Amino acid sequence: MTPFGRKLRELREARGITLTELAAALQVSPAYLSALEHGRRGRPSPGLVHQVNEHFGLIWDEAEELVSLARLSHPRVVVDTAGLSPEATRLANELARRIRDLPSERVHALLALLEAKFP
């Protein structure tokens, strides 16, 4: 599941809307929405994100959060380490190789480290 997919499902379930109902409202297939929610499709288009914001009446911070989550929701990431240090390349490769085996708490710790402000 991607960050956008999780948020989309939370919005939908909180309002008691089925996947089929939301798909009809957004004029997309239920299979496409399901794939978005489960991370089997790439990030949604800006137009679809706008439609979701409109459908759920999201404004300001909530709408911006959804846009940000969509940007972070490509399930097949490519990391270009050309020109970086050997350690950066090793880190990218180790993460790609081991990410499926990382426990949730370790993923959260790594995210917190990356999101921390560096001096």
Side-chain angles (χ1 to χ4, degrees):
M1 182 174 286
T2 64
F4 178 84
R6 181 186 321 162
K7 184 66 174 182
L8 182 62
R9 178 178 282 175
E10 287 171 1
L11 289 167
R12 187 174 60 70
E13 289 178 348
R15 288 162 175 83
I17 299 171
T18 68
L19 192 93
T20 303
E21 291 168 339
L22 182 58
L26 299 176
Q27 298 180 333
V28 299
S29 74
Y32 174 70
L33 274 190
S34 177
L36 273 178
E37 284 189 2
H38 289 91
R40 293 187 307 269
R41 290 295 302 246
R43 71 178 67 100
S45 70
L48 182 68
V49 176
H50 178 74
Q51 283 181 276
V52 171
N53 279 333
E54 291 276 317
H55 181 79
F56 289 114
L58 304 181
I59 58 170
W60 308 108
D61 292 342
E62 287 181 311
E64 275 302 310
E65 176 191 14
L66 199 63
V67 169
S68 294
L69 291 175
R71 284 189 198 118
L72 297 172
S73 290
H74 199 297
R76 293 177 187 91
V77 177
V78 175
V79 179
D80 180 3
T81 61
L84 299 179
S85 70
E87 291 80 11
T89 300
R90 179 178 172 204
L91 173 63
N93 280 278
E94 287 293 329
L95 185 58
R97 187 169 66 86
R98 297 180 183 204
I99 194 161
R100 290 193 180 278
D101 299 325
L102 288 175
S104 180
E105 58 274 359
R106 184 68 55 95
V107 171
H108 290 291
L110 288 169
L111 275 172
L113 177 65
L114 291 172
E115 291 171 347
K117 295 188 182 196
F118 289 49

